[in-house]
Amino acid sequence: MISERLKAAILKELKLDDYEFTDETAASQVPGWDSLNHINVILAVEKEYKIRFKNIEILRLRNIGELQDLINSKIQNAH
Amino acid sequence: MPIDFNKLIALFAYDQYDPLLFSSAFFMFLFFFILIIYRITSPVRILRVLVLIAFSFYFYYKSSGLYFLLLVLASIINYSSALGIFNSKRVKRRIIFISAVAVNLLILGYFKYTDFFISLVNNFRTDELQLIDVFLPIGISFYTFKAISYLVDVYWEVLEPERNFLDLTLYISFFGNILAGPIDRASAFLPQVKREYFLSKRQFSTAVLLIISGLIKKVVIADYISINFVDRVFDFPTRFSGVENLLAVYGYSLQIYCDFSGYTDMAIGVSLLLGYHLMENFNFPYKATSIADFWRRWHISLSSWLADYLFRPLQMKFRDLRLYGNIIALLITFLLCGLWHGASWTFIFWGFLHGFYMAFSLLTAKPRNLIIEKTGLRGTKALTIIQGVITFQLVSFAWIFFRAPSFEYAGDMLNQIFTFFHPEIFTQFIGGYPSVIMLMILGYLLHFIPKSLELKTINFLENRNIIVHAVILAVFIWIAAQVKTSEIQPFLYFQF
C-alpha cells in the first residue's frame, strides 16, 4: 500500500493533481517522472521523511511499492 | 563440374575480413540448416542449448578465429563471480563484484583501447612507445556490456545468479546479438533459454517481415547510398561543394540508421525464428522532438544500459547538487558512451556533443518553456515539427564527427558547407545521382509508415503457407543481391 504521505510528496514534486499509484507502478509510467526528474523526486521523498537513502538502495528499486517498503524500514530503524 | 573442396573449406574457415553477416547468402544458407537441426533437437533441452552454443562459437570463430575462446573465458568468469557475489556478504561480496567488473573492463580495454592509451602516453614522452596493433575481436563491446549488466543485477539483488553454466554461456555468446546488439538483459534472455521452443505462425511472419525490412534497409538503402555517395564526400570533402557536403551529412544520418537498425531488424528476426525475443532497439529515432527523446528511440538497448548502470548511479551519487548533479552525470555518461563507440577523440567528441546538448536543454528548460507558452505553440503540431527539425539538425551535426576520419576532415566539411555552399549545384546533383536521391527520400519516408500497414503485412504473411514465405524471402534476397555492389559492405557498427 502506498501511503497518502508518500503519494502527496511525489504528486507535489511532479506538479500533478492526482495519480492512481499501485505497488507495481514504475516511475516511467508516471507523467513527468523521467530519468532526469528522478533526482528531484528522490530528494523530495528524503526531505519529506527526513531520511537518507544509500545509493544502492535507490538503484535496486523497481516500483513505488518497493520505495514505500524502503521508507518504512528506514523509519522503523530510526525509532 | 567437379567441386573444388579447397574453396568450399575456405568458405567455412576463419577469415578476419569475412564475418558471417546476416545479409550474406552464406549466412542464410547456413542458418537454414541450423534451423532444421534446431527444430529436430528442440525437444531435448540440453541439445537445443548446445546446438545454439556451438553455432554461436562457430559464428564468432568465422571472423575472430581462436578468440572465440574469449567467450568461454567470459562465461566462466561471469558465471562463477555472480555465484560468488550471491553467496558472500558485505566486504567480500563487494570485492568479488568490483573485481569481476574490472576483469571484464580490462579485457575490453586491452583489446579495444591499448593503442589509444599508448598514443595518449606518447603525447607526454619524447621517446615514442610502439603501438601494439591489437586484434579487435568482433562484438566484444556488446557481450562485455551484457556480462556487466548481469553482474550488476545480481549485485543489486534484482536477479538471481544463473546456476546452469550452459545457459549463461549461451547468454554471453548468443550469435543473434553478439555482433551488433541488441544488448539484451539476462533477466529477459535467460528465462527464454529455459522455455520450450515455440513459434506461432504470427511470430514466424513477423520474423520474415523483420528479415526482409532489415535487408532492404541495410543492403538496398544504407549500402547503396554509402558506396555511391556518402563515402565519396566524407573521404574527400574538399572536392565537393557545400551543398553536396550537407547532403552527404543527411545521407550519413540516414545511412547509419538504415545500416544499424536494418542489421538489428535482421538480428531480431533471425533470433525470433529460433524462438528468442530480443529487445527493441530502434523506434523511429528521427521522429524525436528532443535529444533526450532521441536517446529513448536510438540504440535503445545501449541507451537504457547506460541509463541504468552508469547515469543513474552517478546521478544518485551527485544528487545533492540537483540540476548540476544531473549535468555532471550526463556529461560523464555521454563521454564514456562516445569512448565505447571507438578508441578515438572524434567518438569522444561526438559523445560530448550529445552530453552538451542534454545539459544545455536542462539549463534552458525554463526560458524555453516560457517561449512556448507565450507564442501559444504548446501542444500544437507546428511545435512538434519545429522541435523535430531542430533535433534532427543537432543529431546530424554530431554524426559528422562520428563518421569523419579525423577532426581535420570534419572541419573541411563544415568549412565547405559554410563558405562554399553553391546551392545551384543542387539541381545538377539530382540529375547526377537520381537513385541516391530517391533512396534517401524513401529511407526517410520509412519513418512515417503507419503501424497499421506493418500489421496488415504481418496478417497477410500469417495467412500464407511456408512455400509463399520462402518465395517472398527469395525474391527480396534476389532484389538485395541485384542492388548490392560486387561486395557486401561491412556492417558499420561491429567495429565498436
Side-chain angles (χ1 to χ4, degrees), chain B residues 330-366:
Chain B
L330 276 172
L331 286 175
I332 297 176
T333 303
F334 276 103
L335 282 173
L336 290 172
C337 172
L339 186 63
W340 180 87
H341 282 82
S344 107
W345 286 105
T346 46
F347 285 122
I348 296 174
F349 185 69
W350 167 81
F352 165 77
L353 272 177
H354 275 274
F356 172 76
Y357 291 159
M358 298 270 277
F360 185 80
S361 102
L362 269 182
L363 285 168
T364 58
K366 274 188 187 155

Side-chain angles (χ1 to χ4, degrees), chain B residues 93-134:
Chain B
R93 196 179 128 80
R94 211 178 149 80
I95 290 174
I96 299 176
F97 169 67
I98 292 173
S99 27
V101 172
V103 168
N104 278 295
L105 288 176
L106 279 173
I107 295 175
L108 174 66
Y110 169 72
F111 283 104
K112 200 164 163 177
Y113 301 104
T114 303
D115 278 350
F116 183 62
F117 284 118
I118 293 178
S119 55
L120 274 188
V121 173
N122 278 344
N123 288 336
F124 301 99
R125 292 168 63 110
T126 43
D127 53 327
E128 295 229 326
L129 294 170
Q130 279 282 311
L131 297 186
I132 304 180
D133 199 18
V134 185

Side-chain angles (χ1 to χ4, degrees), chain B residues 4 24 54 82 160 163 170 195 202 231 239 261 270 283 312 316 334 375 445 455 461:
Chain B
D4 185 341
S24 69
E160 290 246 331
R163 292 194 161 71
L170 183 57
R195 215 164 47 203
R202 189 166 186 82
D231 285 358
R239 289 189 192 169
S261 79
V270 162
N283 179 22
R312 288 178 57 227
M316 282 306 132
F334 276 103
T375 48
L445 283 180
L455 290 177
L461 288 171

Side-chain angles (χ1 to χ4, degrees), chain A residues 35-36 46 52-53 55 60, chain B residues 156 315-316 319-320 326:
Chain A
S35 55
L36 293 169
E46 286 184 330
R52 178 78 181 175
F53 300 124
N55 294 343
R60 64 158 72 115
Chain B
W156 282 350
Q315 180 193 39
M316 282 306 132
R319 68 180 178 280
D320 294 321
N326 263 338

Side-chain angles (χ1 to χ4, degrees), chain A residues 13 34-40 42-44 46-47 52-56 58-62, chain B residues 93 155-158 292 296 308 311-313 315-320 322 325-326 330 358 362:
Chain A
E13 182 56 45
D34 58 22
S35 55
L36 293 169
N37 218 350
H38 192 56
I39 206 168
N40 298 317
I42 294 299
L43 285 167
E46 286 184 330
K47 198 173 160 202
R52 178 78 181 175
F53 300 124
K54 285 186 196 152
N55 294 343
I56 189 172
I58 315 171
L59 293 169
R60 64 158 72 115
L61 297 178
R62 277 173 297 193
Chain B
R93 196 179 128 80
Y155 182 68
W156 282 350
E157 292 172 356
V158 293
R296 282 191 284 271
D308 288 345
F311 174 73
R312 288 178 57 227
Q315 180 193 39
M316 282 306 132
K317 197 169 186 63
F318 297 118
R319 68 180 178 280
D320 294 321
R322 283 190 179 261
N326 263 338
L330 276 172
M358 298 270 277
L362 269 182

Side-chain angles (χ1 to χ4, degrees), chain B residues 9 12 32-33 39 81 109 114 186 217 240 306-307 337 407 412 490:
Chain B
I9 291 165
F12 283 89
F32 176 73
F33 287 101
R39 286 210 167 205
S81 22
T114 303
K217 282 195 213 165
F240 295 86
L306 291 170
C337 172
F407 284 110
D412 283 347

